[in-house]
Amino acid sequence: MSSTVSFHGGPSGPWQVTAMAAVTGPGLPPVPRLAEEDAAPASGAWCLRGVGSNHRYASRAELDGLALRQPPLGRPEATCAALIPIRKSSAWWAMAQDERLALFTGHNAIGLDALPGVARRLLHCRDLQSPDGASGGFDFLTWFEFAPAAAPEFDAMLRRLRATAEWSFVEREVEIRLMRASG
Amino acid sequence: MSSTVSFHGGPSGPWQVTAMAAVTGPGLPPVPRLAEEDAAPASGAWCLRGVGSNHRYASRAELDGLALRQPPLGRPEATCAALIPIRKSSAWWAMAQDERLALFTGHNAIGLDALPGVARRLLHCRDLQSPDGASGGFDFLTWFEFAPAAAPEFDAMLRRLRATAEWSFVEREVEIRLMRASG
């Protein structure tokens, strides 16, 4: 079984929200703090829930390359974070695996260029179908952690990803930037 | 969003259970009838829930080939059905996409050989993570409908699939055979 993670936006939590932007489509209600929990006790203004799942596009060579360079989550110096929920269009999901894979080409290479500075976690929510709509209609929740010095690399990665053909299928994207709260 | 389907095994429903077999791993409690519902009001001895999702392995050429030959669900002559819930091992899910795709080769061709006699529907439940365990720990629910005359083709398809390298990763499989109840 995969592991479920819930992100609660609201009045409390160890992450301070420094900016929220509606990149494509509607945004999310503004909140001052974010908390991540493995279980899902609802609290706060919104709750986004996703599950870790298997890789859908990465090859063994790519996974081995990632394993060599990707940092773990929770590094003490990684005081910056970003939560980026994304929904892709029905046209994306109607494509066959080889068609989506062809459009995905380059995504992993762009991500590799941000390593080892940026730690990343991908959660899936398209198939969750929670009756309470907890996944907010998103397909993915991506979570990133990095030191302040790596912020330019992170920003460059976002710019490059958003310029890909794959991203033309993104119909909703919200960018939530965070800093670890000091107290 | 994908569509959720629930299979309820219990005392009532339009499908009469003619046989239940634990092919690999533990079986399911025996029931006389099966009902399928789009919503999920719990009833009966067990409930298996899945969602229609995007294709994970099929190429455009394979999907186009399928579209030409696959029959719809609900044909009046298709009075036989089978529900086959499956769970694959953690070793399967830990593989990269190209590794799983290589093992999947042949699966679609075996399925094509059973067309146009056998209608098929694949539902995913690995990522559902329902708190009530409604997906029963399975990764997939496969549903088949066919006329009695196509039963030998269906049985041959199952035999061939179970002899593939892919199937060595199946750690739980239950076969539930059904006939449309006459009254």
Side-chain angles (χ1 to χ4, degrees), chain B residues 5-148:
Chain B
V5 176
S6 298
F7 295 99
H8 299 276
S12 60
W15 293 96
Q16 179 184 346
V17 177
T18 57
M20 290 181 69
V23 180
T24 305
L28 285 166
V31 291
R33 295 281 185 133
L34 185 87
E36 180 194 320
E37 297 181 32
D38 288 338
S43 75
W46 41 260
C47 171
L48 301 176
R49 195 163 62 90
V51 291
S53 188
N54 59 295
H55 295 279
R56 310 289 165 90
Y57 302 103
S59 67
R60 172 50 53 195
E62 287 171 329
L63 289 183
D64 288 347
L66 274 171
L68 285 174
R69 295 186 62 188
Q70 66 189 352
L73 296 173
R75 291 168 297 166
E77 69 272 24
T79 55
C80 298
L83 173 64
I84 305 188
I86 283 174
R87 181 173 70 226
K88 284 178 171 171
S89 68
S90 54
W92 173 266
W93 295 112
M95 281 190 284
Q97 179 71 19
D98 57 342
E99 294 171 313
R100 279 179 283 106
L101 186 58
L103 284 160
F104 199 84
T105 302
H107 186 131
N108 285 324
I110 292 171
L112 269 173
D113 282 349
L115 298 183
V118 178
R120 173 180 170 277
R121 181 177 201 182
L122 174 63
L123 300 164
H124 295 257
C125 40
R126 178 164 188 260
D127 290 344
L128 280 186
Q129 299 287 328
S130 50
D132 56 350
S135 63
F138 292 105
D139 293 331
F140 308 101
L141 309 176
T142 46
W143 173 260
F144 304 90
E145 294 177 6
F146 46 93

Side-chain angles (χ1 to χ4, degrees), chain A residues 99-169:
Chain A
E99 294 171 314
R100 279 179 282 106
L101 187 58
L103 285 160
F104 199 83
T105 302
H107 185 130
N108 285 324
I110 292 170
L112 269 174
D113 283 347
L115 298 183
V118 179
R120 172 181 171 276
R121 181 177 200 181
L122 174 64
L123 300 164
H124 295 257
C125 41
R126 178 165 188 261
D127 289 345
L128 278 187
Q129 300 287 324
S130 49
D132 56 351
S135 63
F138 292 105
D139 294 331
F140 307 101
L141 310 175
T142 46
W143 172 260
F144 304 91
E145 294 176 5
F146 45 93
E153 287 164 66
F154 178 70
D155 289 330
M157 181 188 75
L158 292 186
R159 276 195 303 274
R160 290 175 66 194
L161 283 172
R162 288 171 183 161
T164 60
E166 179 199 348
W167 237 255
S168 67
F169 294 89

Side-chain angles (χ1 to χ4, degrees), chain A:
Chain A
M1 297 287 276
S2 317
S3 58
T4 303
V5 176
S6 297
F7 294 100
H8 300 275
S12 60
W15 292 96
Q16 180 184 344
V17 177
T18 57
M20 290 181 67
V23 180
T24 306
L28 285 166
V31 290
R33 295 280 185 134
L34 185 86
E36 179 194 321
E37 297 180 30
D38 289 338
S43 75
W46 41 260
C47 170
L48 300 176
R49 196 162 62 90
V51 291
S53 188
N54 60 294
H55 296 278
R56 309 288 164 90
Y57 302 102
S59 68
R60 172 51 53 195
E62 288 170 328
L63 290 183
D64 289 347
L66 274 173
L68 285 174
R69 295 187 62 188
Q70 67 190 350
L73 296 173
R75 292 168 297 168
E77 70 273 23
T79 55
C80 297
L83 174 64
I84 305 189
I86 282 174
R87 182 173 69 226
K88 285 178 171 171
S89 69
S90 54
W92 173 264
W93 295 111
M95 281 191 283
Q97 179 71 21
D98 58 342
E99 294 171 314
R100 279 179 282 106
L101 187 58
L103 285 160
F104 199 83
T105 302
H107 185 130
N108 285 324
I110 292 170
L112 269 174
D113 283 347
L115 298 183
V118 179
R120 172 181 171 276
R121 181 177 200 181
L122 174 64
L123 300 164
H124 295 257
C125 41
R126 178 165 188 261
D127 289 345
L128 278 187
Q129 300 287 324
S130 49
D132 56 351
S135 63
F138 292 105
D139 294 331
F140 307 101
L141 310 175
T142 46
W143 172 260
F144 304 91
E145 294 176 5
F146 45 93
E153 287 164 66
F154 178 70
D155 289 330
M157 181 188 75
L158 292 186
R159 276 195 303 274
R160 290 175 66 194
L161 283 172
R162 288 171 183 161
T164 60
E166 179 199 348
W167 237 255
S168 67
F169 294 89
V170 171
E171 64 178 21
R172 188 177 180 196
E173 178 175 6
V174 180
E175 182 179 331
I176 304 163
R177 302 293 283 254
L178 307 135
M179 282 188 61
R180 202 187 297 275
S182 46

